[in-house]
Amino acid sequence: MPLWRAPFEDGELGSLLGEAFGGAPAPGLAARIARHSLGWAAARDAPGRLVGFVNVAWDGGAHAFLLDTAVAGSHRHQGLGRALVALAAAGAREAGCDWLHVDYEERLRPFYENGCGFATTAAGLIRLSES
């Protein structure tokens, strides 16, 4: 069961995000999220391992944004991702946001649109750094 603004540590979030996306986030991610985000949804398994996470950034007003939606491989396809997104949406709604945005790769369209209820919109993107 995901919890809103549940505590987490850099190392465990880094491990989860590394499994989901590859690479490793920069140190201090937990502190940056706590300082700058509207909130986050986090889920742990019975032994207490962080197995799901989604960050909710915002503009301080009507718009919230999902970032870093991640579920451990051992817990995928069981509804945890949808539960994380639903809790994130509820948290943003409770904070007074009117809109929840998310960017996703084409392969994730069924999850976000069919599973979570997002609508397709036009958007733009500029890459600001070289990887």
Side-chain angles (χ1 to χ4, degrees), residues 76-98:
R76 290 182 189 152
H77 308 290
Q78 300 173 29
L80 180 56
R82 286 190 306 274
L84 288 163
V85 171
L87 182 57
R93 188 178 298 108
E94 187 173 306
C97 296
D98 295 320

Side-chain angles (χ1 to χ4, degrees), residues 17 21 37 53-57 65-70 101-103:
L17 296 180
F21 305 114
S37 295
F53 184 85
V54 64
N55 183 15
V56 183
F65 310 85
L66 291 185
L67 299 169
D68 300 327
T69 305
H101 305 260
V102 65
D103 294 329

Side-chain angles (χ1 to χ4, degrees), residues 53-129:
F53 184 85
V54 64
N55 183 15
V56 183
W58 70 326
D59 66 354
H63 297 267
F65 310 85
L66 291 185
L67 299 169
D68 300 327
T69 305
V71 174
S74 59
H75 288 71
R76 290 182 189 152
H77 308 290
Q78 300 173 29
L80 180 56
R82 286 190 306 274
L84 288 163
V85 171
L87 182 57
R93 188 178 298 108
E94 187 173 306
C97 296
D98 295 320
W99 299 98
L100 182 61
H101 305 260
V102 65
D103 294 329
Y104 48 85
E105 297 174 1
E106 183 62 31
R107 66 183 178 82
L108 296 173
R109 180 183 298 270
F111 169 74
Y112 283 109
E113 293 183 10
N114 301 338
C116 299
F118 283 88
T120 300
T121 63
L125 178 67
I126 297 173
R127 184 176 192 115
L128 299 175
S129 65

Side-chain angles (χ1 to χ4, degrees), residues 29-49:
L29 181 60
R32 284 192 309 278
I33 288 172
R35 189 170 49 253
H36 296 294
S37 295
L38 171 64
W40 54 89
R44 295 184 179 280
D45 63 9
R49 183 175 66 110

